[in-house]
Amino acid sequence: MSEPKALFGAVIFAKDLQRLARFYEQVIGLSRQQEAADHVLLAGSGFELVIHAIPARIAADIVITTPPERRSETPIKLFFNIASLQVARESAQRLGGDIVADEQGWLIRGARVCDGLDPEGNVLQLRQHLA
């Protein structure tokens, strides 16, 4: 069953389309709705995330290190509400990303908040709402 059309969304450009799609699918809990050679559409809770392949001629000049170098000079950081920071952290590390330890995070509006990186170095923020 497919998700209803989203009201909000974002696009992330990726050197490794499938790797980045798996990361957001498994760490954030989004589900694949559509897939083509140049993109994967993930969705959940009224939000769509399009992972779009960087054209090969441009991607050839991009180096992704292990661990990924933080791309902190971009003016946008996406945040996602998740059920468990610990589960997300374990999944992120297994998939080539990272989520900082709870002690490095902070509390905001009833949620524990931690920043992290996806496998290509894009900075993201995860929020686990506390009971």
Side-chain angles (χ1 to χ4, degrees):
M1 174 188 243
S2 66
E3 295 274 336
K5 290 186 179 179
L7 295 175
F8 306 99
V11 177
I12 298 176
F13 290 90
K15 178 172 180 168
D16 187 334
L17 173 67
Q18 291 301 324
R19 184 178 190 199
L20 211 58
R22 271 191 308 279
F23 178 87
Y24 284 95
E25 188 176 26
Q26 294 179 27
V27 174
I28 308 303
L30 300 173
S31 61
R32 288 184 189 229
Q33 300 296 305
Q34 182 178 327
E35 195 165 345
D38 67 346
H39 74 276
V40 174
L41 170 65
L42 303 171
S45 302
F47 178 79
E48 289 183 350
L49 182 62
V50 178
I51 309 297
H52 199 289
I54 295 171
R57 70 184 190 290
I58 297 170
D61 293 331
I62 298 172
V63 175
I64 304 295
T65 61
T66 303
E69 184 178 329
R70 179 179 296 268
R71 294 180 177 167
S72 58
E73 295 187 16
T74 181
I76 296 174
K77 176 175 27 174
L78 300 177
F79 78 86
F80 301 93
N81 292 301
I82 56 164
S84 168
L85 280 166
Q86 185 57 37
V87 170
R89 187 174 291 112
E90 291 167 4
S91 294
Q93 290 171 347
R94 180 174 38 79
L95 295 164
D98 190 37
I99 309 299
V100 301
D102 284 353
E103 302 79 45
Q104 294 175 289
W106 62 96
L107 295 174
I108 185 172
R109 299 171 74 187
R112 164 76 53 203
V113 177
C114 292
D115 282 352
L117 299 175
D118 71 19
E120 295 200 2
N122 299 303
V123 180
L124 63 132
Q125 185 178 92
L126 301 181
R127 297 178 181 188
Q128 176 186 337
H129 288 271
L130 306 174

